[in-house]
Amino acid sequence: MTRSPTFSAMVLAFFSWTMIAPAAAQQVPLQDKPFAEHKVVLQLSDGDAKKQALVLSVANNLLKAYDPDKIAIEVVAFGPGIDLLLSGSERRKQVESLIAQGVRFDVCLNTVDTIERETGKRPEFIQAATPVQVGVGQILFLAEHGYTVVRP
C-alpha cells in the first residue's frame, strides 16, 4: 500500500506539532504591560557578583530612563545566574525593589532540578521570582515577541 505525499506530510506535521507543543505550552505568559513601548530581556547566566550587580544596575537605569509603565523588563536567570535569586542572596532587597517596580525575574527550573540532583537539596528562591521550565527557551520566546535581548 502506498501513501500519498500529502498524507505523509500531514502525519509528519502532526508528530512535529505534538513534539513541539508541550515546550511552547511551558512558557510563562508575557507581562501585562499594555502601554509598554520598549521590551527588554536581560540574560543572567553568570554567578559573578559584578555581573549580577550590572544586571540590577541596567534594570534600575532603564526604569529611571523610561516611565515604568512604558517599559517591560524581564531578567531571565539560568545556570550560575540563579544565585542572584536565592532566598539568602545579599542582593535580595534590590531584586525585590525592582520586582515591586514591575521588573520580572525568571528562574530556570532545569537549573534548579540539576542542582537538586547534584546536591540532594532543592534551593530556595525569592518568593516573587517566576519559575520557567527552560531559561533559554523563555529568552527565545520573549525575543520572538518583540523583546530585545541584552546580556550585560
Side-chain angles (χ1 to χ4, degrees), residues 28-40:
V28 173
L30 297 172
Q31 292 187 55
D32 185 21
K33 293 233 175 174
F35 302 108
E37 296 171 359
H38 308 282
K39 299 183 275 187
V40 177

Side-chain angles (χ1 to χ4, degrees), residues 9-28:
M10 287 175 29
V11 170
L12 180 61
F14 171 76
F15 284 114
S16 298
W17 179 81
T18 57
M19 293 174 76
I20 293 170
Q26 295 173 355
Q27 300 306 318
V28 173

Side-chain angles (χ1 to χ4, degrees), residues 2-142:
T2 60
R3 294 195 167 105
S4 74
T6 305
F7 177 77
S8 297
M10 287 175 29
V11 170
L12 180 61
F14 171 76
F15 284 114
S16 298
W17 179 81
T18 57
M19 293 174 76
I20 293 170
Q26 295 173 355
Q27 300 306 318
V28 173
L30 297 172
Q31 292 187 55
D32 185 21
K33 293 233 175 174
F35 302 108
E37 296 171 359
H38 308 282
K39 299 183 275 187
V40 177
V41 56
L42 301 172
Q43 175 183 325
L44 180 56
S45 55
D46 200 311
D48 179 65
K50 288 181 181 179
K51 292 236 177 141
Q52 292 178 357
L54 181 59
V55 166
L56 296 175
S57 178
V58 168
N60 197 39
N61 290 339
L62 286 169
L63 288 173
K64 287 178 184 174
Y66 299 96
D67 179 335
D69 289 333
K70 303 267 183 180
I71 187 161
I73 305 169
E74 193 153 338
V75 178
V76 179
F78 62 94
I82 70 169
D83 292 351
L84 177 68
L85 302 178
L86 290 171
S87 295
S89 170
E90 62 187 44
R91 291 189 163 79
R92 179 181 181 148
K93 296 238 184 267
Q94 289 174 279
V95 171
E96 289 174 339
S97 173
L98 288 168
I99 290 170
Q101 296 175 71
V103 177
R104 184 156 78 182
F105 284 80
D106 300 334
V107 60
C108 174
L109 292 178
N110 280 349
T111 301
V112 173
D113 292 343
T114 299
I115 291 170
E116 184 176 22
R117 271 193 313 276
E118 291 175 354
T119 66
K121 184 177 178 198
R122 193 161 186 88
E124 291 184 30
F125 293 92
I126 296 170
Q127 193 170 10
T130 304
V132 297
Q133 190 60 48
V134 182
V136 174
Q138 182 69 10
I139 292 171
L140 179 59
F141 174 75
L142 293 169

